[in-house]
């Protein structure tokens, strides 16, 4: 009996060969230098920031070179699978405008290299494993969990490397006859790769980000197919898929770096050229003095849904990630403020190799900046769309009077140095609530700063309202009138004069505008007071002031 017989006993129905599949999936016709990248998440119902980070790098690399970016769902570990997980992944990619060219979703396969869901590729994997069995590079292993535990304990006791390799991999020595006899007797088994590597030998591996690494060869006979669902493990499946889908660049987390020797050996066993690899650093978070891995369990911001729910603009999240992807991104973006991340030449070499710090404070600053540069119609549209999904309160406010809302968010916008008030769509209401009478109720707290005397506050507001307030004034006239009010009440309208002789005055123009501002809004830090007064209008302003008349 031969290995071929063994292969036929294990996969009696598999008739397709590797050559057949290679004909089915011929090389892509792309121009020289075009990169083919993929985002290959497991459908766990959660899209981690780290995975998304890889996806934007994939997208950038493929699009900039006229290549292809595709989505592959890696669901071979079906215990972890969650239904609708693909929908969440697609929704997120769509939201961030990084749609793959090829994918599978809603029973539709877009692209000629599918299926793009691993569990639908079972037969393809079986053909490839069958070939490895035929050439003596894969074999069934009948060792039970107890036997494997005993091997490990023994290795630990002797302080040896653990695993199924060398003299410990006893099943590799079974003859095809013995293996067939055990299979026919119904003994359970898994399929293992038969390594030819020597752990004592080293080889050079060129990671496009980390540079040349001197790694030990693989000598582990790893499991390539489990017995429960007859699906291959990640190691094996990605080799087959990246080969047949003609991936040129694999961008993945550095937790896979230690598996590189195995992956390279698997590609070589088939005589395939491995793709180029870019291993991305862990995404870290600063906590006090320490930097730690951003964690799915502890940090809401580890999930991509966080940014959507909070209302961060798309560009802000991408920009924050690009600043950690490439150290020179920020400088480039400051020099080219009107360009976006797709104009940037990403360089794997410039990626930090020791962990990338993702700072929410920094994201907030970027986001404030991005929002401040939107014109009012754009901000209106985005914030309204967001509110419909995540904030009934904002939605109601906007729908009641869209034009009023637009005028509010337009204050100090559409100018050279726009005001940076809002971090997210979710914080807009926190900044503008006082513009709405229905929210301007309850126990409001006022702090008039330097002026504390109730009588004085009343005089300022009343005099202003009775003698100087006129909705039709332009800004210059409005300001002249504020100055007249100061002069009338004994406050300095000219700061220079005030600084020279403060004792001549009760206070200065800022004290006056603070009283007006606080009575109008409760806040001493607001956008342009002239604009606020104009929008709130005489009648509502008077109502707000009247609370302080005595
Ligand atoms: N499915 C793997 C993961 O989610 C992807 C690794 C890769 O991109 O090759 O970690």
């Amino acid at each position: 009996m031969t290995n071929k017989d063994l292969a036929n006993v294990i996969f009696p129905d598999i008739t397709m060969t590797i050559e057949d599949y290679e004909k089915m999936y011929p090389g892509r016709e792309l121009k020289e230098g075009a990169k083919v990248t993929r985002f290959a998440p497991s459908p766990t119902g959660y899209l981690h920031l780290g995975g998304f980070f890889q996806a934007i790098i994939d997208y950038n690399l493929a699009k900039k070179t006229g290549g292809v970016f595709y989505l592959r769902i890696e669901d071979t570990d079906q215990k972890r699978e969650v239904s609708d997980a693909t929908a969440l992944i697609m929704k997120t990619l769509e939201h961030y405008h990084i749609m793959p060219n090829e994918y599978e979703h809603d029973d539709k396969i877009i692209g000629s290299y599918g299926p793009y869901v691993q569990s639908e590729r079972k037969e393809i994997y079986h053909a490839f494993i069958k070939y490895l069995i035929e050439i003596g590079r894969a074999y069934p292993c009948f060792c039970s969990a107890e036997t494997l535990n005993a091997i490990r304990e023994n290795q630990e006791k002797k302080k040896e490397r653990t695993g199924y390799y060398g003299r410990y991999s006893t099943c590799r020595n079974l003859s095809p006859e013995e293996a067939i006899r055990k299979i026919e007797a119904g003994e359970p088994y898994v399929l293992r790769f038969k390594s030819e590597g020597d752990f004592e030998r080293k080889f050079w591996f060129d990671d496009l980000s980390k540079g040349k690494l001197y790694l030990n060869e693989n000598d582990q006979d790893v499991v390539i197919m489990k017995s429960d669902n007859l699906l291959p493990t990640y190691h094996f499946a990605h080799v087959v898929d990246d080969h047949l889908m003609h991936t040129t660049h694999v961008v993945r987390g550095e937790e896979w770096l230690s598996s590189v020797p195995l992956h390279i050996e698997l590609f070589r066993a088939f005589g395939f050229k491995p793709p180029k690899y870019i291993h991305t650093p862990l995404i870290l978070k600063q906590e006090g003095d320490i930097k730690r891995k951003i964690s799915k369990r502890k940090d809401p911001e580890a999930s991509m849904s966080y940014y959507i729910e909070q209302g961060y603009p798309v560009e802000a999240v991408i920009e924050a990630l690009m600043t950690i992807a490439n150290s020179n991104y920020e400088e480039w973006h400051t020099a080219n403020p009107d360009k976006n991340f797709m104009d940037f030449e990403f360089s794997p070499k410039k990626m930090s190799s020791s962990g990338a710090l993702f700072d929410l404070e920094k994201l907030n600053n970027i986001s404030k900046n991005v929002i401040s540069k939107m014109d009012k119609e754009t901000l209106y549209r985005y914030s309204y769309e967001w509110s419909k999904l995540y904030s009934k309160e904002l939605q109601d406010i906007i729908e009641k009077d869209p034009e009023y809302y637009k005028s509010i968010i337009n204050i100090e916008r559409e100018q050279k140095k726009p005001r940076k008030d809002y971090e997210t769509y979710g914080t807009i209401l926190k900044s503008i609530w006082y513009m709405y009478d229905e929210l301007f109720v309850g126990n409001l707290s006022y702090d008039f700063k330097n002026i504390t005397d109730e009588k004085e506050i009343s005089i300022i507001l009343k005099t202003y309202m009775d003698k100087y307030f006129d909705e039709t004034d332009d800004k210059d006239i409005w300001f002249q009138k504020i100055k007249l009010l100061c002069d009338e009440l004994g406050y300095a309208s000219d700061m220079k004069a005030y600084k020279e002789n403060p004792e001549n005055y009760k206070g200065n123009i800022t004290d006056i505008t603070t009283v007006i501002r606080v009575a109008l809004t409760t806040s001493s830090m607001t956008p342009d007071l002239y604009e606020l007064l104009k929008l709130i209008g005489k009648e509502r302003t008077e109502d707000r002031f009247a609370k302080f008349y005595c």
Side-chain angles (χ1 to χ4, degrees), residues 355-419:
L357 189 65
F358 187 76
D359 180 2
L360 268 186
E361 247 346 275
K362 174 132 198 183
L363 169 66
N364 286 339
N365 283 331
I366 292 175
S367 187
K368 265 188 188 167
N369 206 19
V370 168
I371 294 183
S372 78
K373 285 190 192 149
M374 289 177 185
D375 61 36
K376 91 171 161 203
E377 289 296 335
T378 306
L379 177 58
Y380 161 71
R381 216 174 46 246
Y382 285 155
S383 57
Y384 180 44
E385 288 308 315
W386 176 85
S387 77
K388 286 196 269 184
L389 295 171
Y390 303 106
S391 168
K392 176 92 176 69
E393 199 179 15
L394 181 62
Q395 182 190 359
D396 289 347
I397 287 278
I398 296 176
E399 283 174 356
K400 217 180 71 187
D401 188 349
E403 290 311 313
Y404 182 61
Y405 174 73
K406 282 189 211 173
S407 309
I408 298 169
I409 57 173
N410 198 36
I411 299 176
E412 293 182 66
R413 178 172 301 279
E414 298 183 14
Q415 60 191 33
K416 197 148 182 278
K417 279 198 160 198
R419 214 181 138 89

Side-chain angles (χ1 to χ4, degrees), residues 38 40-42 74 234 250-252 255-256:
R38 84 295 194 280
S42 300
E74 301 209 326
Y234 163 74
V250 168
V251 180
R252 65 180 182 186
E255 66 274 20
W256 295 111

Side-chain angles (χ1 to χ4, degrees), residues 86 90 110 124 127-128 138 176 182 186 188 205 297 305 322 325 331 337 376 404 431 434 469 472 488 519 521 526 528:
T86 306
M90 286 296 293
I110 309 293
I124 304 178
F128 279 68
K182 281 172 175 285
F205 168 72
R297 201 166 46 81
S305 48
M322 286 305 288
E331 198 185 317
K376 91 171 161 203
Y404 182 61
S431 301
Y434 52 72
F469 188 99
T472 60
E488 177 176 341
T521 68
T526 72
D528 192 85

Side-chain angles (χ1 to χ4, degrees), residues 415-428:
Q415 60 191 33
K416 197 148 182 278
K417 279 198 160 198
R419 214 181 138 89
K420 298 180 187 178
D421 279 318
Y422 320 125
E423 274 167 9
T424 59
Y425 310 133
T427 59
I428 293 180

Side-chain angles (χ1 to χ4, degrees), residues 75-78 118-122 125-126 129 224-233:
D75 62 345
T76 57
D77 186 359
Q78 297 201 316
Q118 287 186 328
S119 58
E120 293 167 24
R121 300 173 63 78
K122 206 182 244 179
Y125 302 130
H126 288 181
I129 300 177
I224 52 177
M225 193 182 94
K226 288 180 256 167
S227 46
D228 50 358
N229 57 10
L230 303 181
L231 279 170
T233 52

Side-chain angles (χ1 to χ4, degrees), residues 485-503:
L485 173 68
C486 290
D487 296 341
E488 177 176 341
L489 299 179
Y491 291 79
S493 56
D494 173 22
M495 284 309 272
K496 201 160 154 257
Y498 177 72
K499 281 197 185 121
E500 279 163 12
N501 299 96
E503 65 287 354

